[in-house]
Amino acid sequence: MEQTEKKKRRGRGRPRLDGGNGEGVVSREAVIELAYELARSEPLEDVSFVRLAKMLGVVPGALHYHIGTKDDLTSAILNRFYKQLLARLREIPEALPWRDRLRRFACILMACERDHRGAAEYIQTKAKFRVFQKVRAGETDYGAAYLDHAFGMFREAGFDAEQSAMFYHVLALHCLAAANSHVAHLEPAEHERFLLKQAGAFPAGTMPGLDFALKAFSGIRADDAFEFGLEALLDRFAAARRQEE
């Protein structure tokens, strides 16, 4: 009887990620990977320890011990996001003309944010400047590595520090806005019938501005708006570069 009671008791120390029953053993890496994948299609706030533990067949306390707080989990998800983003950015050939390199950079950044709703929404609505991540000893801060790479591209393009900082900022904002417009279904073309129906409720001639441009506006696609804005920004960067030569 005494031996049975001892087996039931749980000693102090590092909790097991198998919930103590010997089944469903997972690693810290597996927890982060699952959280990352869930956040591809939903807000980071919805990725909870309780939900992850249930999906993995473990107790929530074990995940807290091995991951930390919810903020630590958020940082781990974002670090994974920046890791994959950086891997794609490093595939851009360095021999390309500066404008082509920055164009590819913007397209990759927008695509990665569009494909990961959790990261894109969090960066835009919670912490626009959360690039530096909370990492453990021996781990790489991929957010910092990403920003280092981005600034390096502008420097190699011939821009000074102030230009690089401003141009990166406005380009990143443009990519983020385009990505979230897609994720949140905000492109006018997706709501064309509704827009035209609402405008049609006004007597003819009472809303001349709507009569003039709403039809054209309601046909705009997010990708077209992204391309237009990107070209405008690159033209502005080129103009500043010419002034320095």
Side-chain angles (χ1 to χ4, degrees):
M1 180 68 177
E2 184 178 351
Q3 290 182 344
T4 302
E5 289 299 320
K6 286 183 178 180
K7 288 182 180 180
K8 290 182 178 179
R9 293 197 191 103
R10 187 173 173 79
R12 294 183 179 180
R14 185 181 181 87
R16 294 168 57 182
L17 275 175
D18 60 4
N21 57 14
E23 299 178 354
V25 179
V26 294
S27 64
R28 168 180 163 83
E29 181 71 12
V31 177
I32 295 173
E33 181 64 25
L34 175 58
Y36 176 83
E37 289 300 322
L38 288 175
R40 280 184 178 275
S41 58
E42 56 192 80
L44 291 185
E45 290 84 352
D46 292 347
V47 183
S48 68
F49 280 105
V50 172
R51 183 179 176 196
L52 290 170
K54 184 176 182 180
M55 294 179 70
L56 293 168
V58 301
V59 295
L63 299 191
H64 278 290
Y65 185 91
H66 288 275
I67 300 296
T69 65
K70 179 58 186 292
D71 190 60
D72 292 321
L73 178 63
T74 296
S75 194
I77 294 172
L78 292 176
N79 206 43
R80 179 65 56 87
F81 168 78
Y82 283 118
K83 179 182 180 180
Q84 298 196 9
L85 168 61
L86 182 60
R88 292 188 60 183
L89 292 177
R90 284 174 171 166
E91 294 176 356
I92 301 175
E94 295 183 2
L96 286 177
W98 72 267
R99 182 165 181 143
D100 292 337
R101 287 192 74 197
L102 291 184
R103 160 173 273 285
R104 291 201 186 187
F105 165 80
C107 291
I108 290 172
L109 176 57
M110 192 276 286
C112 286
E113 291 174 333
R114 184 180 60 192
D115 293 341
H116 201 284
R117 176 183 174 184
E121 288 186 347
Y122 188 90
I123 293 169
Q124 184 170 53
T125 63
K126 301 296 182 183
K128 291 184 176 66
F129 305 104
R130 182 162 185 168
V131 177
F132 299 100
Q133 303 307 318
K134 299 166 66 176
V135 296
R136 297 186 172 187
E139 294 181 341
T140 300
D141 183 342
Y142 286 102
Y146 153 75
L147 192 58
D148 175 73
H149 184 83
F151 285 158
M153 291 185 69
F154 280 91
R155 180 185 61 193
E156 292 160 9
F159 299 110
D160 61 31
E162 288 71 23
Q163 290 172 329
S164 296
M166 178 59 73
F167 293 170
Y168 163 75
H169 180 59
V170 296
L171 188 61
L173 285 179
H174 177 62
C175 293
L176 187 60
N180 279 309
S181 176
H182 175 87
V183 170
H185 307 287
L186 296 178
E187 64 176 5
E190 192 162 337
H191 307 283
E192 181 175 13
R193 293 180 61 184
F194 171 79
L195 291 171
L196 295 178
K197 179 181 178 181
Q198 292 299 110
F202 297 103
T206 60
M207 296 287 180
L210 293 181
D211 295 339
F212 172 69
L214 183 66
K215 177 62 177 178
F217 174 75
S218 64
I220 293 176
R221 295 286 181 184
D223 287 343
D224 295 333
F226 171 73
E227 288 293 331
F228 180 86
L230 177 57
E231 287 303 315
L233 288 173
L234 292 175
D235 286 344
R236 176 64 180 83
F237 299 167
R241 196 168 182 272
R242 286 194 297 270
Q243 291 176 2
E244 295 295 322
E245 294 176 349

